[in-house]
Amino acid sequence: MAQKPSIPKGTRDFNPSEIAKRNYIFDIIKKNFQTYGFQPIETPSFENSDTLLGKYGEEGDRLIFKILNSGDFLRKVNDAMYAEKNSNSIGHKITEKALRYDLTVPFARYVVMHQNELDFPFKRYQIQPVWRADRPQKGRFREFFQCDADVVGSDSLLQEVELVQLYDAVFSDLKLEGVTIKMNNRKILAGIAEVIGAKDLLIDFTVALDKLDKIGEDGVKKEMLAKGITEEAITKASPLFLPQGNNDEQLQRLDGLLKDSEEGQKGLQELRFILEAISTLGLQSAKLSIDVTLARGLNYYTGAIFEVAAPAGVKMGSIGGGGRYDDLTGIFGLKNVSGVGISFGLDRIYLVLEDLNLFPEAIDRSLQVLCVNFGEREAMAALKVVSQLRKSGVKADIYPSSAKMQKQMKYANNRNVPYVILLGEQELENNSFVVKNMLEGSQQEYSLDNVSQFVTSLS
C-alpha cells in the first residue's frame, strides 16, 4: 500500500501565488535594506550546538532543533549513562550540531570569525530561514524566514533612530499603515527592578511584566509572587500596571519611579533622544510608542528594545522586533563591540497583508501572454512571436499541443492570463496575429512584422 504523503507540523508547502506574494515582501524589505546601506551575508542553516545553546535562555534552548550525529551516534554513550535515560546528560554525546534558532547569534559568530575582514561599523542584512520546535499556531511556525538588519561596531543612538525609520519605510512601501513600533529600554527595566528591591530577580520580574496584556494585572502579580518577588516590591511597581498613556505621560511617570536609579535614568535619556529625533525627522505611516512592559530578549539585549504591532483590529502577534546588544560578540571572545538590530517577521507580515487585502491585484500573474496552438505549422510561427515577446521582457508562452480551443482557453483563464494570441491558418495567410483581451473581451490584429507594436500597447 502506498504511503500517504505528509509534511512535519509547523512547516508548509507554497504554491506559485504564495511564492509571488512572499517575493513581493522580500523585494521591498531588501530594497530598503540596501537603501539604508546594509550589506548582505549568509550563514549555514545549522551551527555547532555550543554556538547556539545558552544564548536564548532556558526556554529558547528547549526550542532548538538538534541534529543527531551521523553514523553510530550512540557510540560515545556508555551503558551507565544510557541506563539513566536522561536526554540532557547524553545530549552532548549524540548531537553536536543544531538548526539555527535565529539570525542574530550566528551573525555574532560571523563577526568574530571575520572581524579582520570587516569595516566597522558593519551594517549587514540577512534573509534566511530559521527553525524553532515551537507549538504551531496561526502566525507561528517551526520553519520560517527572518529578515534581519544589524549594525555592529557603533554605540551611537543614531543607529536606533535609523532602524525606526527603516521599519517605517518598509511598512509604508507595503502600504501597511497604522503599525505601532513599541519601544522600551533594558536599563529602564533594570532600574525598576533595582528601586523595588528585586534586582536579583530582574529576568523573572520582566518576564512576568511582559505578560500584562495576556494575563492581566492579577495574573502578573501572582506570577511575580510565585517567583519570589515580595508584596512590597510589587506595590512599588504598581504604577506600571496603570494605563500607559502617551509617551510624555509615560516618561514623566518613569522619571518619578526611577529618580534614585542611575541606570534607569540613563535608559530614560536614551528613550528621550530617540523620541525627540523621530519627532524632528517624522515618520511616514508608523507610530513610535513607549511600552514599559516590553521585555523581549533580555538575555542579550542591553539597551533599546523594539517590537512592532500590526494595525489595530488585526489579530496577530508581533510582526517585527529587535534591540541593542552591547556585548553579544563577547560570548565568542570579541569584547566591547556594541550592536543593534531589528527583524521583520515575514510570515506574519504576509498574513496581515492578506487579511487587509493589501497585495497588488496582479501580483500572482505569472504569464502575460499565451499563444493558442492550432497545429505544427502555426505553432512554429507562434513560437517566433513568443521569442520576440520574451526578448522584450514579456512573460509569454505557447500551449504545448493543438488541443481543443475550449481546453486551451480554460488553461489561460485558470492562470489568469490577460492576453491570448490567436495565430491560425487565416492569420498566417494575412501575415498577422490576433490578440484577445481576456478582461475586456475585445480583439486587436497586429502584423507579424511588427510585434513591437503589441509590446508597446502592454506598457
Side-chain angles (χ1 to χ4, degrees):
M1 184 176 177
Q3 179 182 344
K4 184 178 180 181
S6 64
I7 58 174
K9 287 182 179 179
T11 65
R12 297 153 293 164
D13 291 322
F14 297 102
N15 63 38
S17 175
E18 290 167 334
I19 291 291
K21 292 175 180 177
R22 286 165 66 85
N23 285 341
Y24 167 74
I25 301 173
F26 280 139
D27 291 344
I28 286 177
I29 292 175
K30 186 184 297 184
K31 181 199 76 173
N32 280 283
F33 281 169
Q34 293 171 350
T35 300
Y36 276 72
F38 291 86
Q39 302 176 79
I41 69 163
E42 290 189 358
T43 59
S45 58
F46 57 93
E47 298 271 352
N48 292 325
S49 296
D50 56 7
T51 297
L52 303 178
L53 293 172
K55 312 304 188 300
Y56 308 102
E58 185 179 339
E59 183 177 352
D61 280 356
R62 287 200 300 267
L63 300 181
I64 291 174
F65 275 110
K66 301 175 182 65
I67 302 171
L68 286 175
N69 292 339
S70 56
D72 187 6
F73 55 84
L74 285 176
R75 178 171 47 84
K76 296 181 181 179
V77 181
N78 60 44
D79 291 343
M81 187 179 290
Y82 186 75
E84 291 179 8
K85 295 184 177 180
N86 186 327
S87 59
N88 290 327
S89 66
I90 68 171
H92 68 283
K93 298 284 188 180
I94 64 175
T95 172
E96 298 166 355
K97 296 176 286 292
L99 292 175
R100 61 172 172 246
Y101 176 89
D102 73 353
L103 300 178
T104 305
V105 170
F107 173 53
R109 189 266 310 152
Y110 175 94
V111 170
V112 175
M113 289 185 66
H114 299 272
Q115 56 186 288
N116 295 325
E117 307 159 25
L118 303 176
D119 295 315
F120 292 101
F122 178 55
K123 301 178 73 171
R124 89 79 167 88
Y125 77 83
Q126 196 170 348
I127 301 176
Q128 288 187 278
V130 298
W131 294 266
R132 296 181 185 179
D134 216 339
R135 184 170 64 88
Q137 53 185 286
K138 182 179 179 181
R140 178 173 291 176
F141 307 98
R142 289 177 172 171
E143 178 185 59
F144 56 96
F145 267 82
Q146 282 191 340
C147 310
D148 284 14
D150 289 77
V151 187
V152 292
S154 171
D155 57 7
S156 169
L157 291 175
L158 290 178
Q159 308 294 354
E160 278 85 340
V161 173
E162 277 207 326
L163 291 174
V164 171
Q165 290 180 304
L166 176 56
Y167 264 141
D168 179 54
V170 168
F171 291 121
S172 296
D173 282 357
L174 288 170
K175 306 295 188 293
L176 184 56
E177 299 182 353
V179 303
T180 299
I181 305 168
K182 300 178 182 180
M183 179 175 64
N184 198 9
N185 194 292
R186 168 64 152 72
K187 297 180 182 72
I188 286 175
L189 292 167
I192 293 170
E194 177 188 349
V195 298
I196 68 172
K199 188 174 182 178
D200 295 336
L201 296 170
L202 171 62
I203 300 298
D204 293 325
F205 170 75
T206 51
V207 167
L209 185 63
D210 197 35
K211 299 177 182 177
L212 184 61
D213 61 338
K214 301 181 184 71
I215 61 178
E217 180 179 342
D218 291 339
V220 169
K221 290 180 177 178
K222 184 178 179 181
E223 183 168 328
M224 286 182 176
L225 285 169
K227 293 293 185 179
I229 299 170
T230 65
E231 287 271 13
E232 182 183 1
I234 295 172
T235 300
K236 288 181 179 178
S238 59
L240 302 177
F241 303 128
L242 299 172
Q244 295 197 22
N246 62 36
N247 290 335
D248 289 336
E249 290 169 342
Q250 290 197 70
L251 285 173
Q252 187 174 358
R253 185 186 306 166
L254 288 170
D255 205 19
L257 185 60
L258 296 168
K259 63 181 184 297
D260 297 323
S261 171
E262 183 179 345
E263 185 173 14
Q265 285 293 325
K266 188 174 181 182
L268 274 175
Q269 289 173 13
E270 293 179 5
L271 275 191
R272 284 196 180 97
F273 179 90
I274 298 168
L275 286 167
E276 289 172 5
I278 292 298
S279 177
T280 299
L281 296 167
L283 295 175
Q284 299 176 63
S285 62
K287 174 187 176 185
L288 181 62
S289 176
I290 295 175
D291 183 350
V292 75
T293 68
L294 183 60
R296 56 181 292 136
L298 280 182
N299 285 63
Y300 53 74
Y301 289 139
T302 56
I305 307 168
F306 299 107
E307 187 169 278
V308 182
V314 179
K315 293 183 178 180
M316 183 61 64
S318 64
I319 58 175
R324 165 73 64 173
Y325 41 90
D326 277 338
D327 196 28
L328 189 62
T329 57
I331 57 181
F332 300 116
L334 181 61
K335 297 291 185 180
N336 303 317
V337 178
S338 185
V340 60
I342 59 172
S343 181
F344 292 83
L346 170 85
D347 298 286
R348 290 185 176 183
I349 292 171
Y350 180 105
L351 292 173
V352 171
L353 294 182
E354 192 99 281
D355 285 350
L356 297 176
N357 196 28
L358 291 176
F359 284 111
E361 282 187 25
I363 191 171
D364 58 350
R365 183 173 292 156
S366 58
L367 196 60
Q368 293 171 275
V369 179
L370 177 71
C371 282
V372 172
N373 190 326
F374 287 100
E376 186 175 339
R377 180 166 167 259
E378 293 86 348
M380 289 305 298
L383 270 175
K384 291 180 180 179
V385 174
V386 167
S387 295
Q388 292 183 64
L389 291 174
R390 288 170 174 168
K391 287 177 182 177
S392 299
V394 178
K395 301 172 185 174
D397 204 356
I398 181 173
Y399 198 81
S401 62
S402 56
K404 291 182 178 179
M405 175 69 78
Q406 183 181 4
K407 183 176 182 179
Q408 297 189 53
M409 296 303 282
K410 182 181 179 182
Y411 177 82
N413 278 321
N414 288 344
R415 290 202 57 182
N416 197 26
V417 179
Y419 300 99
V420 169
I421 287 180
L422 307 172
L423 208 171
E425 184 177 350
Q426 183 176 342
E427 284 76 25
L428 273 180
E429 290 179 4
N430 295 336
N431 194 44
S432 67
F433 63 96
V434 173
V435 177
K436 180 178 178 63
N437 186 316
M438 299 292 282
L439 300 176
E440 300 175 0
S442 59
Q443 293 189 172
Q444 178 71 42
E445 190 168 2
Y446 297 90
S447 169
L448 284 172
D449 297 326
N450 196 6
V451 176
S452 60
Q453 185 182 0
F454 169 53
V455 174
T456 302
S457 72
L458 294 175
S459 57

